[in-house]
């Protein structure tokens, strides 16, 4: 079954606006990087070594308005710099409601990076915001 652009845009808007229409809202969400497709559970996340950790961002003004069933980040999402060594190559990103895997952590959605990213020691991974942003979320 397909969905209309209107429904797709409404789903996206309700996920990113922080009002909790589809789920309890969280003031802060967390972006993650993955070495392979995270599936529905968030598997294949980069190991928490060499300074890698999920990057927090707020829902307030963090996303462009949904259009055509798609949105992207309006503000830059910058991970902490790698320290003590390189990170594994990331091919996917994910969005969570918690900084770490705890009982209250929920994996919300994910996407494929246009190009794989490897963060080398001393560098930081940044996904620039704007229109379009670097993280593109599409509901189909």
């Amino acid at each position: 079954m397909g969905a209309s652009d209107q429904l797709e845009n409404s789903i996206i808007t309700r996920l990113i606006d922080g009002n909790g229409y589809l789920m309890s809202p969280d003031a802060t969400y967390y972006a993650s990087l993955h070495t392979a497709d995270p599936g529905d559970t968030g598997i294949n996340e980069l190991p928490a070594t060499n300074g890698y950790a999920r990057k927090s961002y707020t829902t307030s003004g963090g996303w462009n308005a949904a259009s055509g069933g798609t949105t992207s980040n309006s503000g830059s999402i910058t991970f902490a710099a790698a320290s003590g060594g390189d990170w594994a190559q990331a091919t996917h990103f994910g969005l969570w409601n918690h900084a770490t895997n705890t009982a209250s952590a929920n994996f919300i959605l994910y996407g494929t990076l246009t190009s794989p990213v490897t963060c080398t020691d001393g560098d930081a991974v940044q996904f620039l915001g704007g229109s379009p942003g670097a993280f593109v979320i599409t509901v189909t």
Side-chain angles (χ1 to χ4, degrees):
M1 173 172 76
S4 69
D5 282 350
Q6 177 59 45
L7 178 59
E8 293 165 354
N9 292 341
S10 294
I11 290 169
I12 289 169
T13 299
R14 295 307 178 226
L15 283 172
I16 64 175
D17 70 3
N19 289 320
Y21 295 101
L22 294 178
M23 64 182 80
S24 296
D26 292 284
T28 304
Y29 287 90
Y30 300 84
S32 59
L33 297 174
H34 300 259
T35 59
D37 187 336
D40 292 337
T41 60
I43 61 172
N44 301 315
E45 185 171 2
L46 269 64
T49 59
N50 300 329
Y52 171 77
R54 294 177 189 163
K55 173 59 183 156
S56 64
Y57 68 91
T58 62
T59 55
S60 176
W63 297 93
N64 293 306
S67 176
T70 298
T71 188
S72 61
N73 57 305
S74 60
S76 294
I77 298 173
T78 306
F79 287 79
S83 61
D86 298 348
W87 295 351
Q89 184 180 66
T91 59
H92 292 75
F93 71 92
L95 299 178
W96 300 77
N97 72 334
H98 202 277
T100 59
N101 287 332
T102 66
S104 60
N106 294 299
F107 185 61
I108 300 169
L109 50 88
Y110 64 94
T112 304
L113 297 174
T114 304
S115 298
V117 173
T118 301
C119 187
T120 57
D121 192 11
D123 290 334
V125 173
Q126 181 178 47
F127 297 94
L128 298 176
S131 184
F135 280 159
V136 177
I137 299 167
T138 302
V139 174
T140 57

